[in-house]
Amino acid sequence: MSSYSANTWTVSDYLKVGLKGMPQGCLGGIDVTYRCNLTCRHCYFMKQNHHHELSVTEWLARFEALKKQNFPFMICGWIGGEPLLRKELVEQGKRYFKSNVVFTNGTIDLPYWPDVTFSVSIHGTEHYYYEMTGAKPGTYQRIKKNVDRVDLDVVLAFCVTRLNYYCIEDMLEEWSKTAVKGIVFEFYTPMKGEGEGLWLNWEERDRIIDKLLALKEKYGRFIYVSDRVYRLMKSGPAQRITNNCPFPKIGFSYDPMGNPKFPCQLGPMADCSRCGCILPFYSTLLTHRSLLIPEFANSAYRTFVQAFTTRARPVSVQQLH
Ligand code: SF4
Ligand code: SF4
């Protein structure tokens, strides 16, 4: 296998994106492992019943093969399972991509990787966190200590469900006093025929989005999703977008064995008609240059797709994630 090297954004990359839009395979996710140390109530991944995973060597061989196919290696989300159970794979694999986001549950010490964004899933203040995850007592405070890092780029991911939406404002108040850069509030996506106990109906979701937009007056960009994306997530546009989700047209998704997943990381059982993930809405921006450019200009970004812009710095300043 040939050696690999750190990948970086160049001026030419930005020009290409500006002129031609985002290429096929520009962003996506890799399931680092089938294992996880939590059992969250809203988890889609464990329902996919993965029991095996490629070795690090096999993944690196896969990346080398993709290189030969001109795979763009732009934005990669390292998912799972709990990806930090396999730090070595992420450590080596992230060098292929220009931008990397590690989606972790925060229970394992964050490695010193200043070239990535950590998206730490904490779906509520302490009481609600335990409701959502069933984690052992003490876990919340341990995670809080673990992720409150000034030396790393850490954002929180909060999956809004019927169980935890009450604590959105308290969550903002509590975590805005820490070193984390902000919170991405997105909504629970049920699998087909499931999820009634967790899913919020459209009217409720619209009300919560309005509340998040209003809370931006106080918390500004600590609410880490742009107004434009939240407006797209409201009931009217949302259903039009997810009925013909743009993500599969530009994204990639691999399971722990390196098999492609369709239509996205959530797999074929995902109920697209009730999708609450920010991905289809960011993908809409990425596939419409007239929307993408103002999004860049507003710097209203971060997380997964947002990683693209947060890493938009000269290479000499920082290796890009
Ligand atoms: S931490 Fe993630 S992968 Fe693990 S159980 Fe929770 S939602 Fe599923
Ligand atoms: S709407 Fe898009 S992101 Fe959502 S579940 Fe369907 S394919 Fe996945």
Side-chain angles (χ1 to χ4, degrees):
M1 187 189 309
S2 64
S3 65
Y4 53 86
S5 60
N7 208 345
T8 52
W9 290 100
T10 63
V11 173
S12 150
D13 289 326
Y14 294 118
L15 285 176
K16 266 192 227 154
V17 169
L19 291 171
K20 297 184 183 166
M22 295 293 269
Q24 169 74 46
C26 62
L27 82 158
I30 291 175
D31 289 336
V32 173
T33 175
Y34 65 88
R35 292 166 285 146
C36 187
N37 53 359
L38 291 183
T39 51
C40 303
R41 292 176 67 150
H42 63 293
C43 182
Y44 68 87
F45 181 75
M46 290 306 178
K47 293 181 177 164
Q48 294 178 356
N49 288 319
H50 300 290
H51 301 290
H52 305 281
E53 54 204 26
L54 291 185
S55 67
V56 175
T57 310
E58 286 167 328
W59 268 115
L60 298 183
R62 176 65 60 90
F63 296 143
E64 290 297 328
L66 286 171
K67 259 188 187 173
K68 293 190 181 112
Q69 296 161 25
N70 290 325
F71 186 76
F73 288 106
M74 293 177 121
I75 304 165
C76 184
W78 301 90
I79 320 182
E82 170 46 54
L84 293 182
L85 289 170
R86 296 188 79 193
K87 287 180 184 167
E88 189 193 351
L89 172 55
V90 183
E91 169 100 67
Q92 299 202 39
K94 70 185 172 69
R95 301 177 197 188
Y96 283 84
F97 292 87
K98 295 172 195 293
S99 295
N100 293 276
V101 184
V102 179
F103 290 87
T104 172
N105 61 32
T107 55
I108 295 172
D109 286 353
L110 303 186
Y112 179 65
W113 289 341
D115 56 342
V116 313
T117 294
F118 290 96
S119 172
V120 182
S121 50
I122 304 182
H123 310 297
T125 49
E126 193 158 9
H127 167 79
Y128 294 95
Y129 172 79
Y130 290 115
E131 284 278 297
M132 289 287 289
T133 60
K136 288 188 196 140
T139 308
Y140 184 86
Q141 290 303 335
R142 186 159 53 81
I143 294 174
K144 194 165 179 187
K145 217 167 147 194
N146 186 22
V147 307
D148 187 5
R149 294 269 300 263
V150 287
D151 57 338
L152 293 175
D153 191 17
V154 179
V155 295
L156 303 189
F158 183 120
C159 176
V160 182
T161 69
R162 182 166 295 288
L163 293 182
N164 64 0
Y165 73 93
Y166 311 95
C167 71
I168 286 176
E169 200 163 349
D170 289 345
M171 186 78 181
L172 285 163
E173 196 51 35
E174 178 180 335
W175 284 89
S176 59
K177 299 186 177 88
T178 68
V180 306
K181 305 276 172 47
I183 306 179
V184 175
F185 293 97
E186 52 187 339
F187 294 85
Y188 166 63
T189 303
M191 298 295 104
K192 287 169 189 152
E194 297 181 3
E196 285 311 319
L198 295 176
W199 193 70
L200 292 152
N201 67 38
W202 290 103
E203 205 182 311
E204 292 166 321
R205 172 161 148 175
D206 282 353
R207 273 207 301 273
I208 292 168
I209 291 174
D210 287 340
K211 185 174 173 186
L212 284 167
L213 291 170
L215 283 167
K216 284 194 166 212
E217 289 289 315
K218 180 172 178 190
Y219 294 99
R221 286 188 186 164
F222 193 73
I223 298 176
Y224 229 61
V225 175
S226 71
D227 294 16
R228 189 174 278 105
V229 167
Y230 276 142
R231 285 197 293 271
L232 292 176
M233 291 178 86
K234 291 190 77 171
S235 49
Q239 290 169 75
R240 279 199 306 276
I241 290 169
T242 58
N243 282 345
N244 187 19
C245 178
F247 175 76
K249 299 179 191 95
I250 58 167
F252 64 89
S253 310
Y254 290 112
D255 76 13
M257 284 299 288
N259 301 309
K261 275 189 186 178
F262 297 105
C264 68
Q265 216 70 32
L266 275 68
M269 289 309 292
D271 184 349
C272 294
S273 70
R274 294 187 288 166
C275 181
C277 174
I278 58 171
L279 206 47
F281 310 101
Y282 270 109
S283 300
T284 299
L285 298 183
L286 290 175
T287 49
H288 290 81
R289 269 180 295 153
S290 60
L291 296 173
L292 175 64
I293 289 163
E295 186 72 7
F296 279 9
N298 282 336
S299 298
Y301 40 35
R302 292 153 226 195
T303 68
F304 203 35
V305 174
Q306 294 156 315
F308 178 77
T309 46
T310 49
R311 298 297 169 177
R313 302 169 200 166
V315 169
S316 57
V317 174
Q318 182 175 8
Q319 181 203 330
L320 303 175
H321 96 174

